[in-house]
Amino acid sequence: MITESEGAPPRRVRAGRTGPVLLSEVAAAAGVSLATASRVLSGSRSVGEPYRGRVLAAARELQYTPNAQAQAVATGASNVVGLLVHDVLDPYSASIAGGVLRHVEERDLVVFLASTHSDQERELEFVARMRSHRARALILCASRTTDRAHNERLVRELQGYTAAGGRAAVISQNRLGTHAVVPQNRAGARLLARELCRLGHRRFAVLAGPPSLLTSRDRVIGFREGLIDEGLDGDAVQVLHGDFRREGGAELAARLVAEGLPATCVFAANDVMALGALAAFRKAGVRVPEDVSLAGFDGISTLRDVVPSLTSVRLPLEEMGARAAQLALDTDPDAPSRTVEVHAEVVLRDSTRLPA
């Protein structure tokens, strides 16, 4: 803790000055050294009271605005944290972003938010851009794929970013050599399948994302494993692949209806697909849960407004975002990468019931 034993008494900068306020003027007004004023205004907690309070008060009074570019050059990192998600409008991404923002804003940092919209090149460009802007930390919340060439390119980009002093964390799978927050996608889906079997269901259909999407693939594998646990043939379950969004769920559910709805229970690999399926069933006159049960995965906040309330596998989405930000910002940069597993909880609601 820095505790200056002496310091000039605070003084006011003369009135009538023009141009931007300089850091030296803030230091003079607070009666501290230039180095102390710099530490306080760069976010360091190493300066004790009363000097910290005097510097902050002087900066407010003089309406001092730090030069972010100069700070980045001086410290090797800016006050920016990059956050990349699949789609900012998606409730899953929005909840995770809320958790990241909560942790980052407590540290007086700024979040730069961007979406991939399933464009892998945008993901690579984002990492390169954050490196050029000397972002202090980078958090990726875009589902990983089986595209080995892309993953190898992304690993190289992240290695260049961390070699330049950045810190990174990934939410989803631990495959990029960074800190990772990994939800129990496979285990959660397995538990859900077992619970649905115990309700009496024996004929299932799964609405999944593209086969190359690891999150969806893990959930399908886990669901099949749960069916096997309950004595069913895991390979017999009907799996339909489509867009991993609401529109994809609606299109796949309409296909099931056209095929005569050969299942008593439908599992959508995420909640937004389940909401699309619910709308498609309603449009076709199929009642949930009277005619077919329906379940999702993620536990997004909008489920509380859905009728019937949707059975889902709940993840602590905001906590996942906050944990990723904590790993990226608070872990010793020389420490090895850490992986944090996130527990998944099955929540049975009105959309599932005993089959007719």
Side-chain angles (χ1 to χ4, degrees):
M1 179 73 72
I2 296 175
T3 55
E4 297 189 1
S5 58
E6 296 182 8
R11 66 177 179 83
R12 293 183 179 276
V13 177
R14 64 181 178 85
R17 67 172 310 283
T18 59
V21 177
L22 303 178
L23 179 61
S24 58
E25 294 175 290
V26 175
V32 301
S33 69
L34 183 62
T36 294
S38 177
R39 289 190 186 97
V40 172
L41 295 176
S42 66
S44 173
R45 300 286 179 177
S46 62
V47 179
E49 298 294 349
Y51 303 103
R52 177 179 175 79
R54 280 163 43 178
V55 170
L56 295 175
R60 285 193 298 268
E61 183 178 353
L62 297 174
Q63 297 183 340
Y64 171 75
T65 302
N67 185 324
Q69 185 175 6
Q71 284 186 345
V73 172
T75 64
S78 70
N79 67 338
V80 171
V81 173
L83 172 60
L84 185 65
V85 299
H86 169 68
D87 183 354
V88 295
L89 298 180
D90 177 68
Y92 176 91
S93 298
S95 295
I96 286 177
V100 172
L101 286 166
R102 185 183 71 204
H103 186 81
V104 168
E105 290 175 349
E106 290 175 353
R107 300 170 60 95
D108 297 324
L109 301 175
V110 177
V111 173
F112 185 97
L113 177 63
S115 301
T116 64
H117 299 296
S118 300
D119 186 340
Q120 295 182 333
E121 291 301 317
R122 286 176 62 89
E123 187 172 48
L124 293 167
E125 291 169 2
F126 183 79
V127 176
R129 183 178 302 175
M130 291 298 98
R131 179 182 177 184
S132 67
H133 286 286
R134 303 192 183 191
R136 184 168 303 187
L138 177 59
I139 300 166
L140 300 182
C141 180
S143 294
R144 307 266 49 85
T145 74
T146 57
D147 187 337
R148 180 175 298 179
H150 169 74
N151 290 335
E152 290 175 351
R153 292 173 63 195
L154 183 57
V155 166
R156 288 195 295 270
E157 285 287 351
L158 287 169
Q159 288 173 341
Y161 169 75
T162 55
R167 307 179 187 182
V170 174
I171 299 174
S172 188
Q173 282 85 23
N174 181 20
R175 290 171 175 249
L176 300 177
T178 67
H179 299 302
V181 175
V182 181
Q184 291 182 329
N185 289 319
R186 187 165 171 173
R190 183 173 186 168
L191 288 173
L192 175 64
R194 295 173 64 178
E195 291 293 337
L196 295 174
C197 286
R198 290 167 186 172
L199 283 179
H201 292 283
R202 292 295 180 269
R203 291 185 293 116
F204 295 91
V206 177
L207 312 183
S212 62
L213 197 64
L214 293 181
T215 295
S216 174
R217 189 188 69 175
D218 288 348
R219 292 175 181 180
V220 172
I221 292 173
F223 195 81
R224 281 177 162 150
E225 290 173 341
L227 299 182
I228 293 171
D229 291 342
E230 297 300 315
L232 301 183
D233 183 356
D235 293 329
V237 63
Q238 184 177 9
V239 179
L240 286 71
H241 295 281
D243 195 339
F244 205 50
R245 296 183 296 177
R246 184 184 186 279
E247 294 77 9
E251 291 173 3
L252 297 180
R255 280 177 52 186
L256 283 178
V257 173
E259 294 172 3
L261 199 60
T264 63
C265 185
V266 173
F267 166 51
N270 67 26
D271 285 339
V272 292
M273 291 187 78
L275 294 179
L278 181 63
F281 286 146
R282 185 177 290 123
K283 182 178 179 179
V286 175
R287 301 169 300 167
V288 176
E290 291 84 359
D291 300 323
V292 65
S293 289
L294 178 64
F297 198 118
D298 287 331
I300 59 177
S301 60
T302 50
L303 294 186
R304 59 175 172 261
D305 300 321
V306 177
V307 178
S309 56
L310 185 68
T311 289
S312 183
V313 181
R314 183 166 59 196
L315 297 173
L317 300 177
E318 286 196 24
E319 291 303 317
M320 287 165 56
R323 192 72 176 98
Q326 182 184 30
L327 286 172
L329 290 168
D330 299 342
T331 305
D332 188 328
D334 296 323
S337 298
R338 296 177 56 193
T339 297
V340 175
E341 290 195 356
V342 178
H343 178 69
E345 177 188 12
V346 175
V347 182
L348 297 176
R349 298 191 179 96
D350 294 341
S351 66
T352 52
R353 56 176 276 180
L354 288 168

